[in-house]
Amino acid sequence: MEIAGKTLRRRLLTALAVFVVLVVWDYATGSSVQWAVNLLVPPLFFAFSVLVDLGVQRWLRE
């Protein structure tokens, strides 16, 4: 299944990578892990990347 030219699997793996990077960053900087932020940012990143890709596709078509 493709969403705006990229597979759903690729988009989900990218969102998972964002989550892992946020958790590792929290541990590396010594701050407490903020689970609310870490769980909220990947879905927002997913949605934003879909919207950007849809916008780019629409812009290139016109």
Side-chain angles (χ1 to χ4, degrees), residues 1-61:
M1 179 177 168
E2 286 194 1
I3 301 173
K6 293 182 184 172
T7 63
L8 179 61
R9 181 176 185 225
R10 180 175 177 181
R11 291 193 184 277
L12 289 175
L13 287 175
T14 303
L16 178 64
V18 168
F19 173 75
V20 169
V21 166
L22 287 172
V23 171
V24 169
W25 177 261
D26 282 344
Y27 279 118
T29 59
S31 62
S32 63
V33 177
Q34 299 175 2
W35 291 108
V37 172
N38 291 346
L39 293 175
L40 185 63
V41 169
L44 291 175
F45 179 82
F46 178 90
F48 183 75
S49 68
V50 169
L51 291 174
V52 167
D53 287 343
L54 285 172
V56 167
Q57 279 185 349
R58 186 174 184 184
W59 182 66
L60 290 176
R61 275 189 296 181

